[in-house]
């Protein structure tokens, strides 16, 4: 099987291709499509066989649950037992958008989709292509990130094609994703709503809407006794082929330290890659330099992170040194992904 590629934009939808995507999904097949966070690998969420196909295509461990994507608020009640008041308020403010909420599941949601759990994760994406695919599929689409398990999430159709073109029926190319990091996950099965995965929406933004929100202590810690509650956050995620380290400290010290490390490695005959920002790009004379965007624009950093990590996998480098991107709003989400890729290797400059 070789996936059919359909190119469209949110402004100019291809109705025929969307109809076909809906048919494929209704018949139990798989379609990859863009959302505002990353590309998703979609299958009918209420069909256990389709969920199994998703796990097989990604090579994903079957105890790592899938997020069900809906396009209409009226569809939520069928798949959950109860929606707490605060979740309703948050949905009214943040859906459609990059927010996933976890509820107790109803009986119609198969355990194949929830990885055996009694809870279910639900999101309503804002991307119009995603919404139209979901509606045409019957309303409930399980869609984990459309990458091979263990690789960076895809932010462009090219990444999906590289990983999955012979494993899905159709890939919708809707250009680069707007945010480039996975959704914020908030668990409403806990007494106090708890963030299981940081994303575009941070703790402070959520607290402004619904009051106290906790952060799962397992997600930022390197202590292996503190296990993150979201199964997917426990797995060793993507690790680049090269040895990646994050260099922290004042900007002057970081630049100097990275240049010294690069020189030493190059003298040893190794290949070196550097992940920096537009502001510092010209200050690295050695190695292969990739800017992740302007530090003054954290959206651009989030958007390019996975792309730069994937790009370095194709280059002949043995060591990658990255600046730290602890930016004001999305810093926690960006650093969560980057530190996981680095296996928590931090160098203090
Ligand atoms: P992905 O769709 O690839 O972004 O991954 C989905 C993430 O949501 C993974 O980290 C899952 O472990 C997490 N997740 C999905 N459903 C649940 C659930 N019911 N309880 C806790 N975490 C969940
Ligand atoms: Mg994923």
């Amino acid at each position: 099987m070789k996936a059919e590629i359909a190119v469209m934009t949110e402004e100019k939808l291809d109705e025929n291709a969307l109809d076909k995507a809906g048919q494929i999904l209704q018949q139990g097949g798989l379609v990859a499509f863009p959302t505002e966070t990353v590309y998703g690998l979609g299958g009918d969420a209420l069909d256990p066989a389709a969920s199994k196909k998703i796990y097989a295509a990604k090579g994903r461990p079957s105890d790592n649950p899938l997020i069900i994507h809906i396009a209409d608020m009226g569809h939520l009640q069928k798949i959950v037992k109860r929606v707490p008041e605060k979740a309703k308020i948050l949905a009214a403010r943040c859906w459609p958008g990059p927010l996933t909420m976890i509820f107790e599941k109803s009986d119609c949601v198969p355990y194949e989709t929830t990885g055996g759990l009694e809870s279910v994760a639900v999101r309503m994406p804002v991307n119009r292509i995603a919404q139209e695919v979901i509606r045409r599929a019957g309303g409930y689409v399980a869609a984990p990130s459309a990458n091979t398990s263990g690789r960076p999430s895809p932010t462009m159709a090219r990444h999906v094609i590289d990983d999955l073109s012979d494993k899905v029926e159709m890939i919708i190319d809707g250009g680069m994703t707007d945010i480039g990091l996975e959704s914020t996950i908030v668990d409403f099965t806990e007494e106090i709503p708890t963030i299981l995965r940081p994303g575009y929406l941070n703790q402070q933004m959520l607290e402004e809407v619904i009051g106290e929100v906790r952060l799962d202590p397992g997600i930022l810690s390197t202590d292996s006794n503190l296990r993150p509650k979201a199964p997917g956050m426990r797995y060793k995620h993507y690790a680049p082929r090269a040895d990646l380290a994050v260099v922290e400290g004042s900007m002057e010290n970081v630049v100097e330290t990275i240049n010294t490390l690069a020189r030493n490695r190059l003298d040893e005959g190794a290949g070196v890659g550097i992940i920096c920002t537009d502001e510092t790009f010209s200050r690295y004379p050695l190695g292969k330099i990739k800017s992740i965007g302007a530090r003054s624009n954290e959206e651009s950093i989030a958007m390019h992170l996975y792309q730069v990590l994937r790009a370095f996998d194709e280059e002949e480098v043995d060591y990658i040194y990255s600046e730290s991107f602890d930016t004001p709003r999305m810093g926690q989400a960006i650093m969560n992904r980057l530190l996981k890729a680095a296996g928590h290797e931090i160098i203090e400059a």
Side-chain angles (χ1 to χ4, degrees):
M1 170 173 53
K2 193 93 187 134
E4 174 180 341
I5 313 287
V7 183
M8 67 182 84
T9 63
E10 287 184 83
E11 293 72 36
K12 204 164 180 305
L13 299 173
D14 178 340
E15 299 288 338
N16 290 332
L18 288 168
D19 284 345
K20 185 155 183 204
Q23 275 164 22
I24 293 169
L25 290 163
Q26 299 235 16
Q27 288 161 9
L30 304 182
V31 175
F33 58 88
T35 82
E36 68 274 22
T37 57
V38 300
Y39 273 76
L41 167 58
D44 181 350
L46 305 185
D47 174 358
S51 287
K52 281 190 182 159
K53 277 193 200 167
I54 292 177
Y55 287 101
K58 281 178 62 77
R60 180 173 173 117
S62 62
D63 63 348
N64 187 6
L66 308 176
I67 295 171
I68 300 187
H69 292 67
I70 59 174
D72 298 285
M73 199 58 199
H75 284 160
L76 179 61
Q77 62 187 41
K78 177 174 163 181
I79 52 174
V80 304
K81 279 213 173 115
R82 196 177 69 85
V83 182
E85 210 46 48
K86 284 185 178 174
K88 285 184 191 151
I89 295 167
L90 205 52
R93 277 288 284 277
C94 301
W95 274 2
L99 171 73
T100 296
M101 292 192 269
I102 295 179
F103 306 105
E104 265 178 83
K105 81 171 193 72
S106 72
D107 293 339
C108 74
V109 179
Y111 289 112
E112 282 79 358
T113 300
T114 67
L117 297 176
E118 294 298 338
S119 57
V120 62
V122 190
R123 179 163 102 82
M124 190 192 291
V126 73
N127 182 294
R128 278 191 67 210
I129 299 170
Q131 291 180 352
E132 289 307 316
V133 169
I134 295 162
R135 290 201 180 104
R136 284 166 169 81
Y140 302 94
V141 174
S145 50
N147 52 298
T148 302
S149 212
R151 296 216 68 203
S153 295
T155 54
M156 304 193 272
R158 165 57 45 204
H159 301 156
V160 184
I161 294 167
D162 285 347
D163 285 9
L164 299 174
S165 68
D166 56 348
K167 300 190 170 79
V168 302
E169 274 92 333
M170 188 179 199
I171 296 171
I172 301 180
D173 179 349
M176 219 175 144
T177 56
D178 290 336
I179 295 176
L181 292 182
E182 302 85 346
S183 58
T184 305
I185 302 180
V186 183
D187 185 359
F188 277 94
T189 67
E190 300 275 349
E191 199 160 331
I192 298 167
T194 304
I195 297 174
L196 303 190
R197 177 172 73 185
Y200 177 86
L201 298 166
N202 66 25
Q203 187 174 14
Q204 190 191 336
M205 293 156 90
L206 300 173
E207 286 190 327
E208 276 164 20
V209 185
I210 55 167
E212 190 187 0
V213 173
R214 281 193 340 129
L215 197 62
D216 176 5
I219 51 180
L220 295 174
S221 163
T222 50
D223 177 353
S224 54
N225 292 322
L226 282 176
R227 277 165 65 81
K229 185 171 177 191
M233 301 295 280
R234 291 175 204 150
Y235 292 106
K236 181 167 185 323
H237 254 222
Y238 159 77
R241 280 194 245 290
D243 183 348
L244 167 66
V246 179
V247 183
E248 289 189 341
S250 72
M251 202 30 68
E252 284 309 309
N253 290 350
V254 167
V255 170
E256 198 186 306
T257 302
I258 291 180
N259 279 327
T260 307
L261 288 162
R263 185 170 309 106
N264 293 344
R265 292 303 187 187
L266 289 164
D267 285 348
E268 291 168 7
V272 173
I274 295 171
I275 302 176
C276 65
T277 51
D278 292 353
E279 289 88 342
T280 50
F281 186 81
S282 64
R283 301 186 56 192
Y284 295 107
L286 305 168
K288 294 191 167 140
I289 323 297
K290 292 191 196 295
S291 171
I292 197 170
R295 189 169 285 276
S296 55
N297 174 2
E298 57 180 312
E299 264 89 4
S300 88
I301 294 179
M303 192 169 166
H304 295 113
L305 176 65
Y306 287 137
Q307 187 186 338
V308 165
L309 289 173
R310 269 187 187 253
F312 266 128
D313 272 348
E314 271 140 44
E315 309 242 0
E316 301 278 300
V317 299
D318 305 293
Y319 295 93
I320 304 169
Y321 299 108
S322 177
E323 292 179 5
S324 171
F325 305 106
D326 217 348
T327 55
R329 226 198 56 236
M330 257 193 285
Q332 193 171 63
I334 295 167
M335 290 308 288
N336 169 262
R337 311 311 194 273
L338 182 62
L339 286 171
K340 275 179 119 174
H344 290 276
E345 191 182 338
I346 298 171
I347 296 170
E348 295 295 337

